[in-house]
Structure formats: structure tokens, C-alpha cells
Amino acid sequence: MASYYFVTLAFLFVWICTIGAEFYVVDDQIGLGRRFDGIGGLSGGGATTRLLVNYEEPYRNQILDYLFKPDFGASLQILKVEIGGDAQTTDGTEPSHMHYEGDENYFRGYEWWLMKEAKKRNPDITLIGLPWAFPHWVGKGQGSPYHFPDVTASYVVSWIIGAKQYHDLDIDYVGIWNEKTFNADYIKILRSTLDKAGLPDVGIIAADGNWDISVAMEMDPHLYGAVDIIGVHYPGTKTIPEALRTKKKLWSSEDYSTFNNDVGAGCWARILNQNYVNGRMTSTISWNLVASYYEDLSFGRDGLMTAEEPWSGNYVVESPIWITAHTTQFAKPGWRYLQTIGNLAHGGSYVALTDGRGNLTVVIETMTHDHSQCVRPPLPPYSVSPQNATFNLKGSFATATELQLWYSKFDFKNSKHTLFKKLQPVKALGGFFTLSLGVDEVYTLTTITTGQKGHYTDPPNSSPFPKKYFDDFNVRNPSFDEAPFFADQTGVFQYFPNLTDPGPHVFTLRQVVTERPIAWANDADQTISIIGDHSWGDVTVTCDVLIETVNTGGVFIAARVDKGGESVREAMGVFFWVFANGTYRVTNDIGGKMVRAEGLSGTKAGKWHTLTLTVKGQFAHGMLNGYLLWKDAVILNPRNGWAAIGTYSFEYAQFDNFQVVAD
Ligand SMILES: *[C@@H]1O[C@H](CO)[C@@H](O)[C@H](O)[C@H]1NC(C)=O
Ligand SMILES: *[C@@H]1O[C@H](CO)[C@@H](O)[C@H](O)[C@H]1NC(C)=O
Ligand SMILES: *[C@@H]1O[C@H](CO)[C@@H](O)[C@H](O)[C@H]1NC(C)=O
Ligand SMILES: *[C@@H]1O[C@H](CO)[C@@H](O)[C@H](O)[C@H]1NC(C)=O
């Protein structure tokens, strides 16, 4: 028997040499590598999940299953969410749980709901919260969350306590201030505030920017003690020696941010492996989780899948979902990477992971340069070519005779792809097996026999936003504070019941941010919420409006709003304003400088008015309470854009009976 074995091995060896395969050892005897902490998605930063909540069932549950249900789709192991700060954070604003001092409400926004849906599907999912922006009061007007670090720390910790108290959610990690300079004193104060609140198990991730924090940690033992995980963004799969020397966990706590086509999937496949191979990062989190915001906002469709049409129910399970499954369905957080991992001789990489109980998962990727570029950082040139790779299983895996095989391939030449397909198991003979690897492929070889390419019948066909849309905001017990499809770009618009109002405006939509937040991006000086279809040209927008601020207040309705997100300050369109001082104005810009018409309106605070704005070709006219107020305003640009409502400054104002009719 033994001699047969050696003869076979010798034969194999000769055969392998003849075909010119490279050898890769997979061995746990030499000790293991770092703990695998999971692959995640990021909801927020900002408002990237806005449209998902308005999907009807069963589609909404299906989308959530593709994201979170174990052994079904992406099977995500981490959900990171924005701690809303009332300010623009890329594709919209997310509401704070404390708009002003003394205010407290743990039911705003959709991140609580999302975390619960994720937990429902995967009770072991890791939850992380991170602020991008803060309400004005947190900085007491100083414009920074670090001026009063105790105030900021208790504000953040209240969010964690609220998560438990109102939603039974245990937050595992919390961050500092997304992609802004960190402050060592604040981090230490946050640590002690967590400890004092009885939350010693909530770890701190810092600093969600570059690697600088690791240098600071080497020199400051208290900072070192306060930080559990060094989280960096878009590391380009590389780390620095100082970070490795800390011996802390290293995570790519935000990465990807790439259009979710097959090149995006290539980016994702490459970084999921190489963030560990090159940078020893044990977790990678995708910005964003699901592209569920208007596609014409910043970074449209940069999510693992697309769900941007709640009005039709259409969603798309994009290829990054299946790239994620290659790892998540066959390795759980707590597994360890082997030390035998690395780059392939002719391009690509492989990682191997084990549960320490005999199970093995190997993930191989051979993504070519041009088919795996991420949005950032730039990818230095390299080449990948077809290659034969022989793996030699040793240690606990030496006796494995068969590995399950899951396969993806992107064939760009023929615009075809194979996604997460289960192929015939690979036979290992004497601990050896050889794969003939092509380019732009992903392989998972594993002892795990579960795994599934989950599937629901196709969702409804894609269709544009309805041309005629009306909302009276008459929702008695809303599941969410936001009205469907409105996407706040500065300020926060939430349902407002005024039960003492005897008139027809008991249920309205109210703008509630009254002071400029400690912003993350460049919020406008006006508040604005957009809705509809960016391709709309000729439209009529009608809305009842209530200015609440006496003398200086004002509101607008708008059409053809061309920009939102981080460019919201530069938004152009047709803006019809009325003011508490009895005047109106029509401007071509949100900033209110490009005046196209103005005059007296008789409008005042505390009284409801009906505004109507009609834009047709190059002309616009406006009505007040059903009477023509102005006409023949010339609007050359933009030719199309969203409808919108908003206020003149950060001030309270209400809106009711919103209607838009597009030609
Ligand atoms: C692999 O994992 C399965 C499922 O967790 C477990 O039952 C089994 O004992 C593990 N070990 C091996 C060698 O399969
Ligand atoms: C891989 O091995 C096969 C024989 O099994 C051989 O035909 C092929 O040329 C080899 N490919 C490369 C790239 O060496
Ligand atoms: C609520 O309704 C009452 C009665 O009409 C009115 O006096 C009050 O100003 C309203 N509150 C707000 C915030 O609109
Ligand atoms: C009315 O209020 C607006 C907004 O504050 C201001 O721009 C405008 O100059 C005022 N008009 C008059 C006549 O006071």
C-alpha cells in the first residue's frame, strides 16, 4: 500500500512538472494566521438605504434575504450603519436621535429597522455604528465634535444604549468621526464613557480614515488601550509596518465604492482576498450595502446589489453579491486564516481559512487589472495569465480526499459571466490537486458541504417613477418617519401630526433641523428634499406650505433640480420661494442668487398657502392659492431634474398635499 502511495506521488510529481504547474502548500502545522472577522456592508454615509424601506413585500424581504440570510446570498457577517447626524453624508441626510439638546427619539430613520432585519436573519451578525455628522448642539456652535468631548461621547453612547433599550440590539463596535481627523483625547473619553455606562464590550474602531492612528497608538499607551480595531478606508490592499506592529486587528472598515457591474465584482473579489494577503486586514466592509438611493445622486449603484425602484418593486441581484458568497458561505468570523496564503505565480491570489476543527476553505481569484479596478485608490499595473496551480494539502487537511468547488468567471470578451456555480467536487490524491486557472475567475474549494445560490422568482420589471404622484402625508402610525421616496439632501423632513389642529392639516411633513449641523459634506444653507425622476423636464409641482418662522422664514417648491448629495449647494433648477415678509422669488439656483422673477405675494407665517409651479420648455409660471402669481420666467438650464421642497434656512416649516405631474 505504502509503496503504491509513493509510486503514485512520484508519478504525480513528474506529471505536474511536465505540465508546468506551480506548487502551493496549504498547511496548518506551522501555526495559524489572524482571525477572520467577516465581510460586511455599510448602510449610510449617507442615506444609501433610503429607498429600500418603501419596497412592498415580498420584495423587501427578498432583498434582505439576498443580503443577510446565511447560506443564501451575500450572507453578510457585519452590518455597519451611520449614526445619523442630520447632515448630508453623500447621498442624503440621516436623522439624528437628538435633533436638539434634550430631544431623544430612537425610532427615526431606517437603520434601527435594518439592524433588526439583519439580526433576524443572522443572530451572529456584528453591528457597528459610526457618526459622519453631528447635530449643531453637540459642538455648542463650535462646529467640531471635539470641543466638548464629553458631550459628544455621551451623545454617541446614548445611541448605543437606545439601540438596546428600544430595539434589543447589541452594538458590537462604535467609531469616531468618519474620514475626519481623529482626536486622541476624545477616543479615550469615549472609551471611559462606554465603560461607565456598563458597556465594556463595545469596542472602538478608529479612525475610519488612513493609517495615522497606528503611529499615534505606538506612542500613546492610553490611546493604544482604547482602540480595539484599526479601521482604514480604501487601503488599496496595503498596510504599513506601524499598523502591523500594534498587533491590533486591522480592518478595511470601508472599501469598494465601485459601480456594481462585473468590473465592480472584480474589484470586490480582488480586495476581499488581497486585503488579507497584502495588508493582513481581517475584515472588509463595502460602501455601500445596497444601492437604494436615486441613481443620479453621487456614486449611483455603488452597492453590492441594486434596489432603487420601490415604486416598481424591481431590484437586481448584482454580481458582487455572489463574489461575497464565495467567502461568507464557507468561512465564519472566528475562523483563522492559514499562514500559507499568498499571490499566485502568474497573477491573482489565494487565501485559506480553517475553523480549527478540520474544515478548510480556499478562495482563489485571478482578476485582471482592467477588470478589477476599484474607484480608489489607483491600481498599479500588473498582469495575470492562465496558469496551472497544484495545491498540496498538509497537516489537518492532508487526508482530505474531496473538496466542494464553487466557481465564478467573468468573460468580458463575450459579455458573459458564470456566478457562484457549484461544480463537480475536486478530488485530492495523496493531498494533491491541480487546477487549471483562467483569468477573471473565482474559485472556492471547501470541506463545507452546505452553500446555496439562493433564488426567488424574478421581481417585477423595472419602470420609471410614476408620472403622476400625490401624497397627503395622512399616516396615523407611520412605520418610518420619512414620507416615501422623499430623499432629504439638507435638513430632515419627517411626518408631523398636529393633533390640536382643527383644520385640514393635522398630518403634514415637517422640516425639523433648525441649526446648521456639524456637517460632513458641504450642506446647502437651505434645506431640501428631492423626489421623482431626474429625467423629468416639463412638470407641474403643487404643494400646501406653512412657513413657521415669523418675519424671516421662507419655503420653496422646485422642479428640474439637477444635483443633490455632496453637490447640493450647487443645485440648479426652478425654485419658487415664498417668504414670511409677503414676497416671492423665482430663482434658477438653490442659493437664491439667480433671480428670474420676484414681487409681492402677501404670504405670511402661520398660514397655509398652496403653491403651484409649472415648467414647460424654457418657460415657467407659478400660482399662489390657485391664482397666477408670475409667468414667463425664462429657464434655459437645467432641462431636467427632480421635484423638490425645502426651506429658506434651517427653520421649521410644513408641507402638505404634495403633487407632481410630469408630461
Ligand atoms: C466541519 O464543519 C462541520 C459543520 O460545522 C462540522 O460538523 C464538522 O465537524 C467540521 N469538521 C470537519 C472535518 O468536517
Ligand atoms: C495546464 O495543463 C494542461 C495539461 O493538463 C496543459 O495543456 C496546459 O497547457 C497547461 N496550461 C498552462 C498555462 O500551463
Ligand atoms: C398646531 O395646531 C395649532 C392649532 O391650529 C396651532 O396653533 C399650532 O401652531 C400648530 N403647531 C405647529 C407646530 O404647526
Ligand atoms: C423678504 O425676505 C427674504 C428672505 O429673508 C429677503 O431675501 C427679502 O429681501 C425680503 N424682502 C423684503 C421686501 O423685505
Side-chain angles (χ1 to χ4, degrees), residues 71-114:
D71 291 330
F72 188 82
S75 311
L76 290 170
Q77 297 152 332
I78 298 174
L79 172 60
K80 175 173 171 178
V81 305
E82 175 175 349
I83 300 177
D86 289 345
Q88 171 63 244
T89 53
T90 299
D91 290 298
T93 71
E94 296 196 31
S96 168
H97 57 292
M98 295 183 172
H99 292 314
Y100 48 88
E101 200 164 4
D103 175 39
E104 247 185 306
N105 183 317
Y106 297 92
F107 295 92
R108 292 183 188 137
Y110 30 83
E111 306 295 6
W112 308 110
W113 163 82
L114 186 66

Side-chain angles (χ1 to χ4, degrees), residues 171-186:
I171 303 299
D172 298 289
Y173 295 100
V174 65
I176 308 306
W177 189 15
N178 183 70
E179 291 174 4
K180 301 284 185 190
T181 330
F182 65 88
N183 175 301
D185 290 336
Y186 169 68

Side-chain angles (χ1 to χ4, degrees), residues 449-499:
T449 51
T450 52
Q452 184 197 172
K453 189 172 182 187
H455 181 71
Y456 289 113
T457 51
D458 289 344
N461 288 335
S462 168
S463 72
F465 194 96
K467 278 178 181 293
K468 192 166 177 200
Y469 183 73
F470 175 76
D471 195 342
D472 60 13
F473 310 120
N474 289 355
V475 185
R476 248 162 217 289
N477 294 302
S479 317
F480 297 97
D481 263 352
E482 314 51 36
F485 318 143
F486 277 95
D488 305 349
Q489 300 302 311
T490 294
V492 169
F493 296 71
Q494 56 188 45
Y495 283 128
F496 179 66
N498 186 353
L499 300 174

Side-chain angles (χ1 to χ4, degrees), residues 496-503 505 508 510 546 548 606 608 652 654:
F496 179 66
N498 186 353
L499 300 174
T500 62
D501 192 312
H505 300 291
T508 69
R510 190 183 198 205
L546 178 75
E548 292 189 42
W608 282 92
Y652 286 121
Q654 291 171 58

Side-chain angles (χ1 to χ4, degrees), residues 310-441:
W311 47 86
S312 72
N314 179 262
Y315 62 83
V316 186
V317 184
E318 312 281 3
S319 35
I321 290 287
W322 302 116
I323 294 303
T324 318
H326 268 284
T327 299
T328 53
Q329 292 203 12
F330 311 106
K332 301 284 165 240
W335 283 43
R336 300 273 298 276
Y337 283 100
L338 302 193
Q339 289 191 22
T340 52
I341 48 110
N343 297 301
L344 298 170
H346 301 282
S349 66
Y350 68 103
V351 294
L353 302 109
T354 181
D355 63 352
R357 289 181 291 143
N359 279 303
L360 172 71
T361 291
V362 178
V363 186
I364 301 167
E365 60 80 25
T366 60
M367 292 301 151
T368 56
H369 178 273
D370 291 357
H371 296 148
S372 71
Q373 279 177 299
C374 309
V375 155
R376 70 186 83 85
L379 183 61
Y382 66 89
S383 63
V384 184
S385 56
Q387 57 196 308
N388 292 321
T390 297
F391 288 84
N392 181 6
L393 303 177
K394 290 185 163 176
S396 311
F397 320 116
T399 53
T401 55
E402 170 175 295
L403 294 172
Q404 306 301 311
L405 174 60
W406 294 81
Y407 175 70
S408 294
K409 180 176 181 73
F410 301 103
D411 176 357
F412 288 91
K413 213 180 280 167
N414 299 305
S415 307
K416 283 194 315 207
H417 57 209
T418 302
L419 293 171
F420 197 57
K421 189 171 179 195
K422 193 170 197 304
L423 301 181
Q424 282 303 311
V426 167
K427 301 280 180 210
L429 190 53
F432 288 90
F433 64 89
T434 297
L435 297 172
S436 182
L437 306 173
V439 298
D440 294 322
E441 294 179 335

